[in-house]
Amino acid sequence: EPEVTQTPSHQVTQMGQEVILRCVPISNHLYFYWYRQILGQKVEFLVSFYNNEISEKSEIFDDQFSVERPDGSNFTLKIRSTKLEDSAMYFCASETGGRDTEAFFGQGTRLTVV
Amino acid sequence: DQQVKQNSPSLSVQEGRISILNCDYTNSMFDYFLWYKKYPAEGPTFLISISSIKDKNEDGRFTVFLNKSAKHLSLHIVPSQPGDSAVYFCAASYNNAGNMLTFGGGTRLMVKP
């Protein structure tokens, strides 16, 4: 069964450093997302991406964050200068689009900022 | 922002019995609702969904009920199995392609053998 894959599974980084989280969405999917879950809190939407551009973003997704799909298969989330409060599980998701479709999630990347 | 709420953080059920997980929402613009199941160290796995034009959707042991007037939905699992033990998230969206999901806080279901 096709699946969304994320790398790395765990990333530890020093505060102020840049990190790139990587995702390979399901191949025929057209819509891509990043969500995050801070420990003990809800899963929160960060950004959606379609047709090589951001279609929606939340208040969390500030200038420190960026996304791109550099090569038609990978979908990346970059955090330019990490803060302690960026520590969370980051989930990538993708979907085909259209009515009554569901997003498929990857297994997540645990980001720890120290 | 509590647009989607799951008021029970945990639920314990005996194997073979029915599990009922509840979810309430406040935004009347939501028209598509989903349930996801999540095991530790894994991403959410889609379980079942319902469009606002329906009031019930069934898939095997899983049934989702939607009460639009009450802005309430529930997930019924029957019979419950120990492998169903996980965190269940309710999520809602506007049913247009590319729209974000708004998640509830999750309910931890424990099915005891």
Side-chain angles (χ1 to χ4, degrees):
Chain A
E1 185 174 323
E3 58 182 19
V4 176
T5 55
Q6 291 184 242
T7 55
S9 56
H10 191 188
Q11 173 89 47
V12 181
T13 188
Q14 289 211 321
M15 192 168 57
Q17 294 296 303
E18 174 184 288
V19 294
I20 297 176
L21 309 183
R22 302 180 192 279
C23 170
V24 179
I26 295 172
S27 62
N28 64 335
H29 285 187
L30 301 176
Y31 294 84
F32 315 110
Y33 307 87
W34 284 100
Y35 289 80
R36 79 172 186 191
Q37 185 180 27
I38 295 171
L39 187 65
Q41 297 187 21
K42 289 186 176 188
V43 176
E44 302 172 290
F45 169 79
L46 293 178
V47 65
S48 60
F49 193 84
Y50 169 72
N51 200 25
N52 283 321
E53 60 183 24
I54 290 173
S55 48
E56 271 191 283
K57 60 182 181 178
S58 71
E59 291 176 355
I60 303 167
F61 194 89
D62 62 21
D63 291 344
Q64 294 298 312
F65 291 87
S66 63
V67 290
E68 64 175 4
R69 190 159 155 78
D71 56 13
S73 61
N74 290 287
F75 179 51
T76 61
L77 174 69
K78 182 192 290 186
I79 309 174
R80 265 182 267 284
S81 177
T82 50
K83 304 187 281 281
L84 293 176
E85 53 265 38
D86 294 327
S87 296
M89 282 291 290
Y90 287 81
F91 295 106
C92 174
S94 69
E95 73 176 77
T96 55
R99 290 193 72 84
D100 296 346
T101 61
E102 64 275 4
F104 290 83
F105 284 77
Q107 81 280 16
T109 293
R110 178 171 297 287
L111 176 65
T112 303
V113 183
V114 297
Chain B
D1 184 351
Q2 295 279 330
Q3 293 190 74
V4 180
K5 285 181 69 171
Q6 294 176 253
N7 289 318
S8 299
S10 65
L11 174 68
S12 183
V13 167
Q14 204 69 36
E15 180 178 7
R17 305 296 290 266
I18 186 170
S19 296
I20 300 175
L21 298 99
N22 293 302
C23 177
D24 297 293
Y25 63 97
T26 56
N27 189 339
S28 56
M29 297 292 290
F30 289 141
D31 57 5
Y32 191 54
F33 305 91
L34 308 91
W35 284 94
Y36 283 84
K37 174 179 177 181
K38 186 180 180 302
Y39 294 115
E42 293 185 13
T45 301
F46 171 74
L47 204 53
I48 192 169
S49 63
I50 188 165
S51 166
S52 60
I53 61 172
K54 297 183 178 180
D55 54 19
K56 177 182 173 182
N57 187 28
E58 194 171 348
D59 184 2
R61 297 185 298 115
F62 303 92
T63 303
V64 56
F65 295 91
L66 175 62
N67 182 334
K68 279 180 62 180
S69 61
K71 294 190 177 71
H72 177 84
L73 62 155
S74 61
L75 174 69
H76 293 211
I77 307 173
V78 55
S80 301
Q81 299 172 354
D84 295 328
S85 297
V87 178
Y88 288 77
F89 290 97
C90 167
S93 77
Y94 317 109
N95 196 356
N96 292 313
N99 274 297
M100 63 181 224
L101 295 172
T102 301
F103 282 86
T107 296
R108 181 176 302 279
L109 173 67
M110 292 162 284
V111 180
K112 295 181 286 190

